[in-house]
Amino acid sequence: MTSTTSSGLDDEEVLDSLTIGRRIRDTRLARGMTLEQLAAAIDRAPSQLSVIENGKRELRLAELQRLARALGSSLDALLSPEPPTRRAALEIALERAQRGPLFGSLGLAPLPIRKSLSDGAIETILGLHDELQRVHEQRAATPEEARRANAELRAEQRKLGNHFPELEARAAELLSAVGHAGGPLSQRTAGELASHLGFTLHHVADLPASTRSVTDLENHRIYLGTRPSADPRTTLLQALAAHVLGKPEPRDYAELLRQRVETNYLAGALLIPEASAVPLLTAAKEARSLSVEDLRDAFATSYETAAHRFTNLATRHLGIPVHFLKVHSSGAISKAYENDGAAFPTDALGAIEGQYVCRFWSARQVFDVEDRFSPYHQYTDKPNGTYWCTSSIQSGSGGAFSVSVGTPFAHVKWFRGRDTTVRKSSGCPDPSCCRQPPAALAARWASKAWPSARLNSSLLAAMPTGTFTGVDTTEVYGFLEAHSPE
């Protein structure tokens, strides 16, 4: 359990490092304290304190309390969301802009923020940045709207540690209602859950191609396809979850994506109940033998479902920051989540879906491994630190994908597979890492090659016409009319 202070913040909540760093510096200078004096007072090296004052390290509440005492300041004063001065506000805004994906996409070196940099110069830079941001957003078409909404939702998941207590509680209520005592959720129990919620199940051969299931709320029927699937429980549970959550027809992409996340989360919580999974994971951590494979096998789910569920529970219950990646064999990101600082590639708007991961990351390297039965483990030295990942190949109708779960080096001691000797080095996003060919090869072939690109048919119409969900409502309504018992 985390404790809560009078400021209303949990001990584990990450605070606004930039604003707080400026307040610490201003308070220290107002007290006439040197960097060395304050560092000694909180038992930290001056270099560590400098990183804090520059807003380059996130502070926990306990650390902030020590700083407040050493400065003779109140906690509320340091937590004030307002910058201490107009100059500080400008510096914070510039620092945030330079850390953002838009600035990063320009390939420019960050501008050092010194006293010699005038307020007017900073205002000009911020004005240019805001205009460039506006142009990007103005030119963004429908697919980019969805990607922006997804980036915002991912940031919210990161803040929550990808754990939704209200959905966990709802899953527990549903499982209790059908007498599920723990362990894998059988197909029979999934069917009983549908019956408990008032639905009958119907498997049909003519399910509309644009759907995974169709729910008839008037006649309390759920239609499922007859084609075999990797886990028939998942589609049914997702349909039931959508009904339980009572979501209306989404009005925009942000609402659509949120509904999908919550529906998939509830379905996952039914397949791998928190009450059963947490003791298993806790015991595995104590034995220093955590693995996604054990979670998969214990609850008879797919590797991807187990990996997703691990991210739901690892940070909240085990105190372990993690990241998740689903990557196509081409190297393009399909899904991703992180709360451990893993630096995923992004476009100028912060979206990661469709971006290509470094060739030296575990998510790409696993495709070169002949043994696809055993899990693949790898350490990767990245510009922001060393990470350990475990990856597995999953194949489906969309091709082959790697599913990876990783954690920073400091937390790898809890995982099975930490003894791997496989280690790679990645310099991305530096183009010279793997995006630019070696100079010798470029000189040899640059003017002598003309590859024919494999263009996707959806290149100019990336999103479907009609409803933005891509569901053919004409086909769905005709299907329901044909199958209605009346």
Side-chain angles (χ1 to χ4, degrees):
M1 296 291 291
T2 58
S3 61
T4 303
T5 70
S6 60
S7 299
L9 294 169
D10 292 336
D11 280 338
E12 297 303 318
E13 185 170 350
V14 175
L15 307 171
D16 178 8
S17 57
L18 277 172
T19 302
I20 290 174
R22 292 302 192 280
R23 284 199 165 275
I24 291 171
R25 177 186 294 168
D26 277 32
T27 305
R28 173 176 63 78
L29 294 174
R31 301 288 191 272
M33 298 178 70
T34 65
L35 191 71
E36 290 73 15
Q37 288 172 332
L38 180 55
I42 63 170
D43 195 26
R44 290 285 186 272
S47 59
Q48 292 177 308
L49 179 58
S50 178
V51 169
I52 291 173
E53 289 190 347
N54 288 322
K56 294 182 178 179
R57 190 172 80 76
E58 296 168 340
L59 281 171
R60 301 294 179 184
L61 192 56
E63 295 176 295
L64 191 58
Q65 288 171 329
R66 289 198 298 273
L67 279 162
R69 286 193 296 269
L71 289 166
S73 174
S74 70
L75 186 60
D76 286 339
L78 294 185
L79 283 172
S80 174
E82 296 299 323
T85 63
R86 180 175 178 277
R87 171 69 183 195
L90 288 173
E91 290 183 357
I92 290 170
L94 180 55
E95 186 68 32
R96 283 194 176 129
Q98 294 190 129
R99 294 184 186 184
L102 176 58
F103 187 90
S105 70
L106 301 176
L108 300 174
L111 183 68
I113 303 176
R114 302 190 177 100
K115 291 181 180 179
S116 57
L117 187 63
S118 69
D119 292 2
I122 296 178
E123 290 172 342
T124 299
I125 295 169
L126 290 174
L128 290 171
H129 180 272
D130 290 346
E131 177 61 16
L132 189 57
Q133 182 78 33
R134 186 192 68 79
V135 171
H136 269 285
E137 292 178 353
Q138 187 179 59
R139 290 178 178 175
T142 301
E144 280 67 37
E145 292 176 23
R147 294 167 70 187
R148 276 203 308 275
N150 204 31
E152 294 171 2
L153 181 58
R154 194 170 59 252
E156 182 179 335
Q157 290 177 275
R158 184 187 306 115
K159 183 178 180 181
L160 296 172
N162 205 24
H163 184 267
F164 295 81
E166 66 282 2
L167 296 180
E168 298 286 357
R170 193 72 182 97
E173 291 173 7
L174 291 170
L175 292 171
S176 176
V178 294
H180 182 65
L185 186 75
S186 66
Q187 284 187 233
R188 176 182 60 80
T189 306
E192 290 174 353
L193 183 58
S195 179
H196 167 74
L197 294 171
F199 288 97
T200 57
L201 304 181
H202 303 265
H203 287 81
V204 295
D206 60 339
L207 191 73
S210 61
T211 67
R212 289 177 291 183
S213 67
V214 174
T215 301
D216 179 350
L217 296 175
E218 179 178 305
N219 298 296
H220 303 285
R221 291 179 158 206
I222 294 178
Y223 295 99
L224 303 165
T226 55
R227 289 173 294 183
S229 61
D231 189 342
R233 299 169 301 171
T234 301
T235 303
L236 170 59
L237 292 176
Q238 288 171 341
L240 293 175
H243 169 72
V244 167
L245 294 174
K247 300 297 185 181
E249 181 74 15
R251 296 164 296 179
D252 53 36
Y253 287 105
E255 196 169 315
L256 170 67
L257 293 171
R258 180 175 296 279
Q259 289 184 13
R260 182 166 295 179
V261 165
E262 293 181 358
T263 297
N264 290 344
Y265 190 107
L266 183 55
L270 291 168
L271 284 169
I272 304 180
E274 185 176 41
S276 301
V278 170
L280 183 149
L281 292 173
T282 301
K285 181 185 177 185
E286 292 174 354
R288 296 179 180 248
S289 189
L290 282 171
S291 74
V292 176
E293 291 78 24
D294 286 354
L295 194 63
R296 173 199 62 192
D297 296 343
F299 293 93
T301 66
S302 69
Y303 186 91
E304 183 178 348
T305 296
H308 268 298
R309 197 69 179 120
F310 186 85
T311 69
N312 297 151
L313 304 174
T315 304
R316 174 65 179 84
H317 293 286
L318 306 178
I320 300 175
V322 292
H323 66 265
F324 167 92
L325 273 171
K326 182 177 180 181
V327 176
H328 187 260
S329 56
S330 64
I333 296 175
S334 173
K335 300 177 184 177
Y337 161 80
E338 61 82 19
N339 68 358
D340 63 354
F344 296 148
T346 67
D347 65 12
L349 299 176
I352 62 175
E353 287 72 22
Q355 301 298 304
Y356 285 84
V357 301
C358 177
R359 298 174 189 273
F360 302 112
W361 287 15
S362 172
R364 296 282 297 273
Q365 291 289 307
V366 66
F367 287 105
D368 296 331
V369 177
E370 292 183 357
D371 179 6
R372 294 196 173 183
F373 185 80
S374 305
Y376 174 76
H377 309 301
Q378 176 182 311
Y379 289 99
T380 308
D381 297 320
K382 303 178 183 179
N384 62 331
T386 298
Y387 287 80
W388 173 89
C389 286
T390 178
S391 301
S392 179
I393 300 293
Q394 311 295 300
S395 297
S397 58
F401 291 84
S402 68
V403 175
S404 305
V405 172
T407 193
F409 182 81
H411 297 274
V412 71
K413 59 187 176 182
W414 309 116
F415 289 82
R416 192 163 68 238
R418 62 185 177 274
D419 56 349
T420 180
T421 59
V422 180
R423 192 171 195 134
K424 302 292 182 180
S425 180
S426 168
C428 284
D430 183 346
S432 65
C433 174
C434 65
R435 297 176 186 274
Q436 290 179 343
L441 280 179
R444 169 74 175 85
W445 292 105
S447 60
K448 303 179 181 67
W450 184 257
S452 178
R454 183 192 295 273
L455 293 180
N456 294 324
S457 60
S458 60
L459 181 64
L460 299 178
M463 299 299 287
T465 56
T467 62
F468 65 86
T469 61
V471 171
D472 186 336
T473 53
T474 301
E475 186 180 14
V476 169
Y477 295 160
F479 167 86
L480 287 172
E481 186 66 22
H483 285 273
S484 174
E486 298 178 0

